[in-house]
């Protein structure tokens, strides 16, 4: 049975179930029919004998039987006997060979091996002291002939019903399993062609199969997004590593072959060091984000005065901002305490402030604000008045390696991992971060963290 397909197994079980149900129903109907036939035969013989009593009279010392009395009445054989058992009128069925003793007022069932007979006797007082026995005999098989015909018909039709049930069950199961077949075929096409854009595409329904198909389609959507993201990620990493690698190789070749003085060699090594540090920074960020994707990063939570931490980062940012004549303005509410990872939160604040300075307007402002909200959260804002971000690019700035425009992809602009890192750190602390920007007017990053 286990080697058969589910469709065939369900069909066999359905057929067996239908056969059992039909057989039980027929058995019940035949049993009830047999009881009804027996009851009908008994009533017939009783009524025939009672009617016969009216045709037996006593006249001038003699028993007279009216000519209207028929020895065969509606399947019942009527006979009249003296008290000594001598037959006075009527006859018995030729097939009835039993010599049954008389029993007044009781219907008896007699089986002679070939048929079942119902016998009913009444001791009738014809007149004065004269009595006679009136006997009625009826064949059960005659009264149950219709039932027997039905049984024979059922025996002939039953195999056809079994075949019909099997065929009907197979069609129903085949139709019910059609969506499952579509799911399997779609999965095979995706597996064979490596095309994650294919979908099962069942029409709308409410049963479990359609729910399963929709679940698979949603899963394929997520797989496609993940697969495309992974391909893009691999391409971006390769692109970002290619430039510093090429610089390192060229500088090493220059130092080995072209450098004539120690200073020239040191300049080449300095360039190599810068590119190596950039690669190291990128690899570190990628490792952190990769661990975050796998849920392996563990925050080292402690009670932190976020106000002091933010002020310290703002002071560090001021040194960088002076190169572009950007002034850093702070509006920080004191003593805002949260439980967090100090190293990660510092990295988040540094990334946001450095981003604001890097893309800020020379001679402009960088505003750092920190306050407590009504729902006991800490709200931070890092606002610059620089080049801004266009609306079509704004939702994508959180994607890894995404860079908005050539102005944001210069050699000193990083590799597009800073904002994804910021987003991870905020969400890892149970908070969130959003960005508001107008092209040419500046950008504001807003983060909230639970206290």
């Amino acid at each position: 049975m286990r080697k058969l397909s589910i469709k065939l197994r369900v069909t066999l079980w359905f057929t067996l179930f239908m056969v059992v149900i039909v057989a039980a129903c027929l058995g019940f109907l035949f049993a009830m029919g047999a009881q009804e036939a027996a009851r009908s035969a008994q009533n017939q013989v009783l009524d025939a004998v009672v009617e016969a009593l009216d045709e037996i009279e006593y006249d001038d010392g003699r028993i007279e039987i009216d000519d209207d009395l028929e020895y065969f009445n509606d399947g019942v054989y009527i006979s009249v006997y003296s008290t000594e058992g001598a037959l006075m009128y009527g006859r018995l069925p030729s097939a009835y060979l039993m010599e049954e003793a008389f029993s007044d007022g009781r219907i008896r069932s007699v089986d002679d091996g070939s048929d079942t007979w119902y016998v009913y006797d009444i001791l009738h007082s014809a007149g004065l002291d004269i009595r006679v026995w009136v006997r009625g005999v009826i064949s059960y098989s005659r009264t149950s002939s219709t039932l027997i015909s039905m049984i024979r018909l059922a025996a002939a039709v039953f195999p056809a019903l079994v075949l019909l049930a099997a065929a009907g069950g197979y069609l129903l199961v085949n139709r019910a399993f059609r969506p499952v077949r579509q799911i399997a075929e779609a999965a095979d096409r995706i597996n064979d062609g490596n095309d994650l854009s294919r979908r099962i595409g069942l029409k709308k329904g409410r049963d479990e199969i359609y729910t399963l198909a929709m679940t698979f389609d949603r899963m394929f959507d997520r797989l496609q997004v993940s697969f495309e993201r992974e391909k893009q990620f691999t391409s971006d990493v390769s692109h970002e590593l290619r430039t510093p690698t090429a610089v390192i190789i060229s500088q090493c070749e220059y130092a080995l072959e072209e450098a004539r003085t120690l200073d020239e060699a040191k300049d080449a090594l300095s360039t190599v060091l810068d590119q190596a540090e950039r690669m190291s920074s990128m690899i570190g960020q990628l490792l952190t984000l990769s661990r975050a994707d796998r849920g392996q990063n563990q925050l080292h939570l402690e009670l932190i005065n976020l106000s002091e931490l933010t002020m310290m980062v703002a002071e560090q940012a001021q040194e960088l901002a002076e190169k572009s004549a950007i002034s850093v303005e702070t509006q920080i509410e004191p003593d805002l305490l949260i439980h967090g990872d100090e190293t990660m939160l510092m990295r988040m604040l540094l990334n946001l402030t450095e981003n604001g300075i890097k893309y800020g307007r020379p001679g402009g402002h960088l505003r750092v604000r920190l306050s407590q909200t009504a729902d006991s959260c800490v709200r931070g804002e890092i606002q610059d008045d620089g080049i801004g971000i266009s609306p079509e690019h704004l939702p994508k700035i959180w994607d890894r390696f995404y860079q908005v425009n050539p102005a944001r992809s210069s050699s000193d602009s990083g590799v597009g991992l800073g904002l994804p890192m910021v987003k991870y750190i905020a969400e890892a602390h149970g908070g969130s971060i959003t960005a508001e920007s107008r092209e040419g007017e500046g950008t504001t990053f807003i983060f909230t963290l639970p206290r």
Side-chain angles (χ1 to χ4, degrees):
M1 178 69 77
R2 292 183 179 179
K3 295 182 179 180
L4 299 177
S5 66
I6 295 178
K7 186 162 56 177
L8 288 178
R9 277 186 280 174
V10 173
T11 301
L12 290 176
W13 280 111
F14 174 80
T15 303
L16 179 62
F17 179 74
M18 292 299 297
V19 167
V20 171
I21 292 296
V22 172
C25 291
L26 289 177
F28 176 76
L29 292 176
F30 291 152
M32 296 299 294
Q35 291 183 8
E36 184 61 30
R39 189 180 302 109
S40 175
Q42 294 172 10
N43 290 334
Q44 280 184 260
V45 71
L46 188 149
D47 293 341
V49 171
V50 171
E51 290 178 4
L53 298 180
D54 295 335
E55 309 299 331
I56 301 175
E57 299 177 351
Y58 176 76
D59 187 17
D60 295 334
R62 297 181 59 187
I63 296 294
E64 292 187 359
I65 299 177
D66 198 305
D67 293 339
D68 292 335
L69 178 60
E70 299 178 356
Y71 70 87
F72 184 73
N73 181 12
D74 193 21
V76 180
Y77 289 87
I78 300 297
S79 53
V80 180
Y81 298 85
S82 65
T83 53
E84 290 78 15
L87 179 63
M88 301 173 59
Y89 175 81
R91 55 174 293 188
L92 295 175
S94 59
Y96 182 74
L97 303 177
M98 305 293 292
E99 294 184 0
E100 188 73 12
F102 293 101
S103 179
D104 186 25
R106 188 170 66 88
I107 299 177
R108 305 180 306 285
S109 174
V110 179
D111 190 351
D112 62 3
S114 60
D115 198 354
T116 298
W117 307 86
Y118 288 107
V119 181
Y120 181 56
D121 299 327
I122 289 184
L123 183 59
H124 177 57
S125 296
L128 298 178
D129 294 332
I130 299 177
R131 295 183 176 183
V132 295
W133 287 100
V134 181
R135 167 168 288 183
V137 179
I138 189 172
S139 170
Y140 171 74
S141 61
R142 184 178 182 279
T143 58
S144 62
S145 59
T146 302
L147 178 63
I148 294 174
S149 299
M150 290 178 60
I151 294 175
R152 290 174 179 171
L153 178 62
V157 172
F158 191 71
L161 290 176
V162 173
L163 293 177
L164 183 62
Y170 182 82
L171 292 176
L172 289 175
V173 172
N174 187 56
R175 183 177 181 84
F177 275 77
R178 188 180 302 166
V180 177
R181 187 167 60 252
Q182 289 181 245
I183 294 173
E185 291 173 353
D188 285 338
R189 289 196 300 269
I190 293 172
N191 181 57
D192 294 339
N194 293 321
D195 184 4
L196 290 177
S197 65
R198 292 179 177 269
R199 297 293 179 268
I200 299 170
L202 291 183
K203 296 180 180 179
K204 291 184 178 180
R206 297 183 178 180
D207 60 28
E208 294 80 0
I209 298 296
Y210 287 94
T211 302
L212 176 63
M214 288 189 291
T215 302
F216 271 113
D217 281 342
R218 290 194 296 268
M219 181 187 69
F220 290 143
D221 289 337
R222 292 194 299 271
L223 285 176
Q224 183 180 9
V225 171
S226 299
F227 185 68
E228 295 297 333
R229 185 181 297 168
E230 182 179 351
K231 289 198 300 184
Q232 184 64 41
F233 177 78
T234 303
S235 175
D236 292 337
V237 169
S238 301
H239 176 75
E240 294 297 336
L241 288 177
R242 182 176 58 184
T243 300
T245 302
V247 172
I248 290 174
I249 293 174
S250 65
Q251 291 299 315
C252 288
E253 291 175 347
Y254 172 78
L256 290 172
E257 299 176 4
E258 302 293 337
R260 298 178 180 178
T261 64
L262 181 59
D263 289 337
E264 289 180 354
K266 286 183 176 181
D267 288 340
L269 289 175
S270 178
T271 302
V272 170
L273 179 61
D274 290 341
Q275 296 300 321
E277 288 177 346
R278 184 184 181 195
M279 291 175 61
S280 176
S281 175
M282 182 178 65
I283 292 172
Q285 293 182 78
L286 286 174
L287 182 60
T288 299
L289 292 173
S290 176
R291 288 175 176 173
D293 291 339
R294 299 194 302 269
Q296 294 180 348
N297 271 349
Q298 293 184 354
L299 299 180
H300 300 285
L301 299 179
E302 55 184 325
L303 189 61
I304 298 171
N305 190 324
L306 190 61
S307 300
E308 293 180 358
L309 185 64
T310 305
M311 182 62 72
M312 182 175 62
V313 170
E315 291 173 355
Q316 293 181 10
Q318 181 64 58
E319 299 177 5
L320 179 63
E322 289 176 353
K323 298 179 182 180
S324 300
I326 296 176
S327 63
V328 178
E329 301 175 359
T330 59
Q331 188 178 347
I332 300 174
E333 187 175 328
D335 296 327
L336 295 178
L337 305 179
I338 68 169
H339 281 88
D341 187 313
E342 185 174 12
T343 302
M344 299 294 282
L345 290 173
M346 179 175 288
R347 178 183 293 186
M348 180 185 75
L349 294 170
L350 284 172
N351 282 350
L352 290 175
T353 54
E354 290 176 359
N355 188 81
I357 294 171
K358 189 178 299 181
Y359 303 113
R361 177 172 51 86
H365 301 81
L366 178 69
R367 297 176 176 88
V368 180
R369 303 184 183 95
L370 194 68
S371 60
Q372 179 174 317
T373 63
D375 54 354
S376 298
C377 288
V378 174
R379 173 188 171 93
E381 295 183 17
I382 311 295
Q383 181 183 20
D384 66 68
D385 49 8
I387 61 177
I389 306 172
S390 61
E392 63 269 19
H393 293 295
L394 194 59
K396 301 177 182 178
I397 62 174
W398 310 108
D399 297 341
R400 297 171 191 179
F401 296 106
Y402 186 79
Q403 295 179 342
V404 176
N405 52 40
R408 287 181 173 261
S409 58
S410 58
S411 60
D412 62 343
S413 65
V415 294
L417 293 176
L419 292 180
M421 180 67 69
V422 167
K423 186 174 187 291
Y424 157 68
I425 294 172
E427 292 179 350
H429 284 80
S432 62
I433 186 166
T434 58
E436 299 174 357
S437 182
R438 288 187 179 182
E439 198 169 8
E441 297 183 10
T443 303
T444 303
F445 289 96
I446 305 169
F447 66 85
T448 56
L449 298 173
R451 293 200 62 182

